[in-house]
PDB file of all heavy atoms in Angstrom:
ATOM      1  N   SER A 455      74.227-126.958 -55.163  1.00  0.00           N
ATOM      2  CA  SER A 455      73.897-128.251 -54.517  1.00  0.00           C
ATOM      3  C   SER A 455      72.678-128.113 -53.674  1.00  0.00           C
ATOM      4  O   SER A 455      72.215-126.958 -53.307  1.00  0.00           O
ATOM      5  CB  SER A 455      74.947-128.686 -53.625  1.00  0.00           C
ATOM      6  OG  SER A 455      75.244-127.808 -52.538  1.00  0.00           O
ATOM      7  N   ILE A 456      72.111-129.234 -53.224  1.00  0.00           N
ATOM      8  CA  ILE A 456      70.889-129.191 -52.322  1.00  0.00           C
ATOM      9  C   ILE A 456      71.199-128.480 -51.028  1.00  0.00           C
ATOM     10  O   ILE A 456      70.408-127.752 -50.519  1.00  0.00           O
ATOM     11  CB  ILE A 456      70.394-130.573 -52.039  1.00  0.00           C
ATOM     12  CG1 ILE A 456      69.817-131.248 -53.338  1.00  0.00           C
ATOM     13  CG2 ILE A 456      69.333-130.621 -51.043  1.00  0.00           C
ATOM     14  CD1 ILE A 456      69.338-132.724 -53.263  1.00  0.00           C
ATOM     15  N   ASP A 457      72.414-128.776 -50.509  1.00  0.00           N
ATOM     16  CA  ASP A 457      72.815-128.160 -49.177  1.00  0.00           C
ATOM     17  C   ASP A 457      72.945-126.630 -49.421  1.00  0.00           C
ATOM     18  O   ASP A 457      72.523-125.823 -48.529  1.00  0.00           O
ATOM     19  CB  ASP A 457      74.147-128.715 -48.776  1.00  0.00           C
ATOM     20  CG  ASP A 457      73.987-130.122 -48.224  1.00  0.00           C
ATOM     21  OD1 ASP A 457      72.929-130.558 -47.914  1.00  0.00           O
ATOM     22  OD2 ASP A 457      75.028-130.852 -48.128  1.00  0.00           O
ATOM     23  N   ASN A 458      73.572-126.261 -50.544  1.00  0.00           N
ATOM     24  CA  ASN A 458      73.730-124.783 -50.668  1.00  0.00           C
ATOM     25  C   ASN A 458      72.450-123.997 -50.884  1.00  0.00           C
ATOM     26  O   ASN A 458      72.150-122.940 -50.347  1.00  0.00           O
ATOM     27  CB  ASN A 458      74.660-124.529 -52.025  1.00  0.00           C
ATOM     28  CG  ASN A 458      76.053-124.756 -51.754  1.00  0.00           C
ATOM     29  OD1 ASN A 458      76.524-124.881 -50.577  1.00  0.00           O
ATOM     30  ND2 ASN A 458      76.797-124.943 -52.831  1.00  0.00           N
ATOM     31  N   TYR A 459      71.511-124.708 -51.524  1.00  0.00           N
ATOM     32  CA  TYR A 459      70.130-124.181 -51.762  1.00  0.00           C
ATOM     33  C   TYR A 459      69.436-124.039 -50.393  1.00  0.00           C
ATOM     34  O   TYR A 459      68.875-123.024 -50.070  1.00  0.00           O
ATOM     35  CB  TYR A 459      69.280-124.957 -52.735  1.00  0.00           C
ATOM     36  CG  TYR A 459      67.963-124.499 -52.949  1.00  0.00           C
ATOM     37  CD1 TYR A 459      67.630-123.576 -53.972  1.00  0.00           C
ATOM     38  CD2 TYR A 459      66.842-124.997 -52.129  1.00  0.00           C
ATOM     39  CE1 TYR A 459      66.270-123.112 -54.121  1.00  0.00           C
ATOM     40  CE2 TYR A 459      65.511-124.405 -52.276  1.00  0.00           C
ATOM     41  CZ  TYR A 459      65.292-123.517 -53.323  1.00  0.00           C
ATOM     42  OH  TYR A 459      63.995-123.090 -53.524  1.00  0.00           O
ATOM     43  N   HIS A 460      69.581-125.046 -49.654  1.00  0.00           N
ATOM     44  CA  HIS A 460      68.903-125.113 -48.236  1.00  0.00           C
ATOM     45  C   HIS A 460      69.414-124.084 -47.466  1.00  0.00           C
ATOM     46  O   HIS A 460      68.690-123.419 -46.727  1.00  0.00           O
ATOM     47  CB  HIS A 460      69.115-126.530 -47.617  1.00  0.00           C
ATOM     48  CG  HIS A 460      68.563-126.595 -46.221  1.00  0.00           C
ATOM     49  ND1 HIS A 460      67.236-126.590 -45.867  1.00  0.00           N
ATOM     50  CD2 HIS A 460      69.284-126.544 -45.021  1.00  0.00           C
ATOM     51  CE1 HIS A 460      67.098-126.614 -44.660  1.00  0.00           C
ATOM     52  NE2 HIS A 460      68.290-126.547 -44.057  1.00  0.00           N
ATOM     53  N   GLN A 461      70.749-123.743 -47.504  1.00  0.00           N
ATOM     54  CA  GLN A 461      71.332-122.653 -46.692  1.00  0.00           C
ATOM     55  C   GLN A 461      70.735-121.267 -47.095  1.00  0.00           C
ATOM     56  O   GLN A 461      70.440-120.402 -46.306  1.00  0.00           O
ATOM     57  CB  GLN A 461      72.812-122.633 -46.783  1.00  0.00           C
ATOM     58  CG  GLN A 461      73.524-121.593 -45.799  1.00  0.00           C
ATOM     59  CD  GLN A 461      73.139-121.759 -44.347  1.00  0.00           C
ATOM     60  OE1 GLN A 461      73.229-122.770 -43.815  1.00  0.00           O
ATOM     61  NE2 GLN A 461      72.479-120.651 -43.845  1.00  0.00           N
ATOM     62  N   MET A 462      70.540-121.167 -48.444  1.00  0.00           N
ATOM     63  CA  MET A 462      70.036-119.902 -48.940  1.00  0.00           C
ATOM     64  C   MET A 462      68.593-119.754 -48.449  1.00  0.00           C
ATOM     65  O   MET A 462      68.166-118.698 -48.059  1.00  0.00           O
ATOM     66  CB  MET A 462      70.022-119.857 -50.525  1.00  0.00           C
ATOM     67  CG  MET A 462      71.450-119.450 -51.130  1.00  0.00           C
ATOM     68  SD  MET A 462      71.198-119.351 -52.837  1.00  0.00           S
ATOM     69  CE  MET A 462      73.008-119.196 -53.369  1.00  0.00           C
ATOM     70  N   ALA A 463      67.884-120.884 -48.629  1.00  0.00           N
ATOM     71  CA  ALA A 463      66.391-120.813 -48.190  1.00  0.00           C
ATOM     72  C   ALA A 463      66.388-120.517 -46.631  1.00  0.00           C
ATOM     73  O   ALA A 463      65.413-119.793 -46.195  1.00  0.00           O
ATOM     74  CB  ALA A 463      65.753-122.208 -48.381  1.00  0.00           C
ATOM     75  N   VAL A 464      67.217-121.011 -45.817  1.00  0.00           N
ATOM     76  CA  VAL A 464      67.295-120.708 -44.375  1.00  0.00           C
ATOM     77  C   VAL A 464      67.465-119.152 -44.271  1.00  0.00           C
ATOM     78  O   VAL A 464      66.879-118.498 -43.415  1.00  0.00           O
ATOM     79  CB  VAL A 464      68.357-121.501 -43.671  1.00  0.00           C
ATOM     80  CG1 VAL A 464      68.623-120.932 -42.209  1.00  0.00           C
ATOM     81  CG2 VAL A 464      67.932-122.918 -43.607  1.00  0.00           C
ATOM     82  N   ASN A 465      68.426-118.632 -45.002  1.00  0.00           N
ATOM     83  CA  ASN A 465      68.684-117.177 -44.832  1.00  0.00           C
ATOM     84  C   ASN A 465      67.549-116.332 -45.290  1.00  0.00           C
ATOM     85  O   ASN A 465      67.182-115.342 -44.732  1.00  0.00           O
ATOM     86  CB  ASN A 465      69.810-116.747 -45.764  1.00  0.00           C
ATOM     87  CG  ASN A 465      71.257-117.452 -45.368  1.00  0.00           C
ATOM     88  OD1 ASN A 465      71.345-117.882 -44.212  1.00  0.00           O
ATOM     89  ND2 ASN A 465      72.071-117.634 -46.303  1.00  0.00           N
ATOM     90  N   VAL A 466      66.868-116.899 -46.427  1.00  0.00           N
ATOM     91  CA  VAL A 466      65.605-116.124 -46.853  1.00  0.00           C
ATOM     92  C   VAL A 466      64.487-116.183 -45.847  1.00  0.00           C
ATOM     93  O   VAL A 466      63.880-115.195 -45.562  1.00  0.00           O
ATOM     94  CB  VAL A 466      65.111-116.662 -48.218  1.00  0.00           C
ATOM     95  CG1 VAL A 466      63.759-116.117 -48.529  1.00  0.00           C
ATOM     96  CG2 VAL A 466      66.154-116.493 -49.295  1.00  0.00           C
ATOM     97  N   HIS A 467      64.345-117.281 -45.119  1.00  0.00           N
ATOM     98  CA  HIS A 467      63.389-117.491 -44.082  1.00  0.00           C
ATOM     99  C   HIS A 467      63.539-116.494 -43.029  1.00  0.00           C
ATOM    100  O   HIS A 467      62.659-115.849 -42.499  1.00  0.00           O
ATOM    101  CB  HIS A 467      63.358-118.949 -43.540  1.00  0.00           C
ATOM    102  CG  HIS A 467      62.473-119.092 -42.404  1.00  0.00           C
ATOM    103  ND1 HIS A 467      61.066-119.297 -42.646  1.00  0.00           N
ATOM    104  CD2 HIS A 467      62.610-119.121 -41.046  1.00  0.00           C
ATOM    105  CE1 HIS A 467      60.466-119.409 -41.370  1.00  0.00           C
ATOM    106  NE2 HIS A 467      61.466-119.452 -40.506  1.00  0.00           N
TER     107      HIS A 467
END
Side-chain angles (χ1 to χ4, degrees):
S455 68
I456 293 175
D457 288 341
N458 286 342
Y459 179 89
H460 175 71
Q461 185 55 58
M462 282 187 192
V464 169
N465 296 338
V466 172
H467 176 74

